[in-house]
């Protein structure tokens, strides 16, 4: 029987849409199947609405700062329902753009639940379609199994649909989602308790960033309930109660579960085609995103490699170029920049100080200062910058920053790191003045030199 399509993509999020459009540009006949809204987590219930909420939260501080610059009678009140209505309109608009991008690329869209019904066979609401290749790009969803009672809490999905700011909220976890929403909700006026088992937020990030992030969150008025294992969440007429291993109980009017995400593989029929899953439930793939089942590939969060939108997009395009464009390409997952949108934001690329020193001697360059704009208005917030440099050949191995515009600055510098720039290249780059970013060009002497760590 002839194939209906060259490619069926299951999942119309950032990765699936990018792969499908690129495959169609190479001449493939492509069908995308989406069970919810086109645009996926990032556009509909993730990065985009989160950033719109972050912008809303930022006005509080900006209005306070304005007074320091001579503005009078500034003030006002945040009405979250107004923000929610405007956000919904914006997400509708963006979903429309995503649909239009698929249409103009010649990609067909089917709304419904897809299930693999055999090699190259995808059943969509009872009807089977055949394709030469199938791509799974179904993303992930909030995990609720870290402790008892977590299903009682909101997830990032529901927080983004709030129409009123809760008076108080327990944010459970200390990863990307937890610290971002803790900071945003505090900026909007909620009393926030960040409850986590580690000593500092953002395990895995550079220790100096973690330390300064903890301070910045506290400066924002967030209570850090750290260092004690979390046991169970419950709810009664008074609100939410989080039981901790030392017997203490944290309480608030609302609760957000931010204890990680799981790959969306349930109900896809992956077992029927013999696609292996790892212990986290992610589809096992090789460097070319090829699963263990013939004719089946997977990209993005469902593979649990580096769960970030731009990585999913890059994986999708690499798949399409390799399989339909005769331009084999692979994604390098080693050097991926990322940002955490707290107040002030932080961003990072490459190795942390401790990762680098496990590989060899390192030179650490740092700058810690009060940014001009904040200092002028009497603010106490500080900016922190760190370069991790190879002690032998001078290559910049890592860049870490916490401070206003950190994501924008690190994105630019990510090109230099990807190209293998050395500290000398930074030194001979003429600064743009007056900026915060120029500090990265003006770091003359290392603040410390570390020998290669032995462990
Ligand atoms: P993360 O994996 O970043 O963080 C999970 C948090 O939950 C950690 O603090 C972890 O603690 C904690 N946790 C897990 N299990 C338990 C437990 N049993 N008891 C107590 N605490 C627990 O997941 P997120 O949900 O924050 O984000 C999911 C993914 O989404 C991220 O990996 C990221 O890739 C992506 N994302 C990216 C953003 C960005 O780029 N700005 C923004 C939002 C999401 P511990 O560290 O101790 O294990």
């Amino acid at each position: 029987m002839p194939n209906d399509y060259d490619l069926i993509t299951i999942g119309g999020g950032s990765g699936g849409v990018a792969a499908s459009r690129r495959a169609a540009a190479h001449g493939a006949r492509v069908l995308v199947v989406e069970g919810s809204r086109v645009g996926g987590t990032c556009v509909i219930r993730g990065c985009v609405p989160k950033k719109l909420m972050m912008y809303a939260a930022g006005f509080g501080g900006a209005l306070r700062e304005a007074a320091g610059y001579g503005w009078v009678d500034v003030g006002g009140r945040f009405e979250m329902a107004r923000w929610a209505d405007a956000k919904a309109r914006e997400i509708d608009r963006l979903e429309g753009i995503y649909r239009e991008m698929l249409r103009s690329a010649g990609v067909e869209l089917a709304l419904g639940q897809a299930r693999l019904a055999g090699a190259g066979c995808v059943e969509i609401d009872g009807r089977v379609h055949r394709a030469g290749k199938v791509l799974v790009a179904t993303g992930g969803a909030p995990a609720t199994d870290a402790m008892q009672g977590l299903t009682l809490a909101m997830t990032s999905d529901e927080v983004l649909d709030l129409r009123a700011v809760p008076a108080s909220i327990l944010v459970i976890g200390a990863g990307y989602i937890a610290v971002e929403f803790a900071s945003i909700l505090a900026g909007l006026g909620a009393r926030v308790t960040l409850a986590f088992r580690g000593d500092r937020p953002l395990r895995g990030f550079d220790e100096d960033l973690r330390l300064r992030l903890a301070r910045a969150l506290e400066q924002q008025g967030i209570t850090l309930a750290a260092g004690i294992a979390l046991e169970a969440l419950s709810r009664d007429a008074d609100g939410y109660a989080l039981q901790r291993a030392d017997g203490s109980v944290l309480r608030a009017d609302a609760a957000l579960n931010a204890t990680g995400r799981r790959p969306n593989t349930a109900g896809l029929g992956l077992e029927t085609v013999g696609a292996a899953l790892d212990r986290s439930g992610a589809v096992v793939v090789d460097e070319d995103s090829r699963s263990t089942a013939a004719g089946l590939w997977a990209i993005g969060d469902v593979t649990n490699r580096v769960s970030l939108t731009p990585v999913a997009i890059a994986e999708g395009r690499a798949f399409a170029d390799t399989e339909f464009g005769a331009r084999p390409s692979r994604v390098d997952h080693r050097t991926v920049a990322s940002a955490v949108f707290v107040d002030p934001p932080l961003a990072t690329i490459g190795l942390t100080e401790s990762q680098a020193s496990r590989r060899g001697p390192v030179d650490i360059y740092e700058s810690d200062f009060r940014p001009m704009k904040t200092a002028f208005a009497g603010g106490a917030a500080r900016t922190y910058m760190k370069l991790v440099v190879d002690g032998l050949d001078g290559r910049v191995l890592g860049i870490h920053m916490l401070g206003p515009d950190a994501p924008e600055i690190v994105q630019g510098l990510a090109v230099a790191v990807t190209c293998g720039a050395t500290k000398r290249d930074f030194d001979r780059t003429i600064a743009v003045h007056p900026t915060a970013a120029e500090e990265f060009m003006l770091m003359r002497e290392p603040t410390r030199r570390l020998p290669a760590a032995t462990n």
Side-chain angles (χ1 to χ4, degrees):
M1 211 154 96
N3 288 328
D4 306 310
Y5 300 96
D6 300 311
L7 172 67
I8 295 179
T9 302
I10 305 176
S14 303
V17 167
S20 301
R21 291 175 63 210
R22 183 63 63 90
H26 290 309
R29 293 167 301 149
V30 186
L31 173 72
V32 173
V33 196
E34 170 55 53
S36 171
R37 294 182 66 179
V38 181
T41 299
C42 181
V43 177
I44 307 295
R45 63 193 91 85
C47 330
V48 172
K50 178 275 306 287
K51 200 150 183 204
L52 295 175
M53 200 188 253
M54 183 203 81
Y55 284 135
F59 283 103
L63 291 174
R64 281 191 297 278
E65 230 171 38
Y69 278 84
W71 288 82
V72 290
D73 298 335
V74 282
R77 201 166 42 81
F78 178 62
E79 276 187 21
M80 192 158 203
R82 289 190 190 216
W83 172 84
D85 291 340
K87 184 265 300 182
R89 285 193 295 275
E90 180 62 1
I91 301 305
D92 288 348
R93 187 182 74 83
L94 293 174
E95 184 182 7
I97 289 174
Y98 264 70
R99 283 172 175 264
E100 176 54 27
M101 284 191 313
L102 288 176
R103 198 197 59 75
S104 62
V107 174
E108 280 183 44
L109 173 65
L111 294 178
Q113 296 300 326
R115 203 181 62 80
L116 293 159
C121 295
V122 178
E123 187 188 311
I124 305 163
D125 294 336
R127 207 173 139 211
V128 174
H129 302 261
R130 298 181 64 83
K133 294 177 172 122
V134 175
L135 178 68
V136 177
T138 46
T144 53
D145 55 357
M147 70 203 71
Q148 212 190 325
L150 274 185
T151 49
L152 297 169
M154 289 184 282
T155 68
S156 49
D157 294 0
E158 290 82 39
V159 169
L160 288 164
D161 282 336
L162 281 175
R163 296 187 65 80
V165 182
S168 63
I169 185 163
L170 283 168
V171 177
I172 305 169
Y176 282 87
I177 293 179
V179 296
E180 287 186 344
F181 281 110
S183 182
I184 290 168
L185 290 166
L188 293 175
R191 257 182 299 115
V192 179
T193 302
L194 187 68
F196 55 105
R197 59 187 174 184
D199 54 345
R200 285 180 191 146
L202 288 187
R203 182 164 59 85
F205 282 64
D206 188 89
E207 287 300 322
D208 283 305
L209 271 197
R210 296 178 72 197
L211 175 69
R212 284 163 178 84
L213 169 67
R215 278 190 208 141
L217 293 174
E218 282 179 331
Q219 262 179 6
Q220 249 200 299
I222 296 167
T223 302
L224 301 191
I228 297 167
L230 311 175
E231 291 199 323
L233 183 73
S234 56
R235 186 183 187 181
D236 59 23
D238 293 333
Y240 289 83
L242 180 63
Q243 194 81 39
R244 299 197 295 171
D246 65 347
S248 61
V249 179
L250 303 170
R251 295 183 182 281
D253 297 334
L256 165 63
N257 164 28
T259 54
R261 295 174 63 86
R262 296 274 180 277
N264 276 332
T265 48
L268 280 179
L270 287 160
E271 60 294 340
T272 56
V273 294
L277 304 184
D278 70 13
R279 278 173 40 183
S280 72
V283 181
V284 174
V285 289
D286 66 11
E287 281 175 301
D288 294 311
S289 298
R290 190 186 291 270
S291 80
T292 56
L296 189 79
W297 284 255
I299 55 153
D301 290 12
V302 77
T303 65
N304 197 23
R305 287 177 279 182
V306 179
S307 296
L308 297 170
T309 299
V311 177
I313 291 171
E315 289 167 355
R317 288 180 179 158
F319 155 77
D321 287 342
T322 304
E323 295 301 324
F324 297 102
R327 282 205 322 246
S329 82
R330 282 181 176 163
V331 175
D332 182 351
H333 292 91
R334 286 168 307 174
T335 315
V336 176
S338 78
V340 185
F341 292 94
V342 283
D343 179 21
L346 66 86
T348 186
I349 180 166
L351 301 182
T352 65
E353 180 174 331
S354 67
Q355 285 169 338
S357 72
R358 269 181 254 130
R359 294 183 3 163
V362 284
D363 295 339
I364 303 299
Y365 295 80
E366 292 171 294
S367 185
D368 189 334
F369 57 94
R370 280 208 298 161
M372 184 198 265
K373 185 176 173 214
T374 322
F376 182 82
R382 302 190 71 84
T383 286
Y384 175 73
M385 297 171 164
K386 177 191 271 192
L387 285 183
V388 179
V389 177
D390 190 310
L392 298 177
D393 64 12
R395 217 155 69 89
V396 177
L397 302 174
I399 299 182
H400 309 280
M401 175 174 176
L402 178 132
D405 303 321
E408 308 291 337
I409 292 169
V410 170
Q411 174 67 95
L413 294 177
V415 179
V417 175
T418 305
C419 292
T422 63
K423 179 66 172 65
R424 279 175 60 85
D425 295 322
F426 276 59
D427 293 342
R428 66 192 176 89
T429 302
I430 306 288
V432 178
H433 184 72
T435 63
E438 68 180 312
E439 290 299 320
F440 274 121
M441 317 302 141
L442 300 173
M443 295 169 165
R444 285 287 159 257
E445 294 298 324
T447 45
R448 57 188 169 279
R449 294 203 137 107
L450 304 174
T454 45
N455 57 355

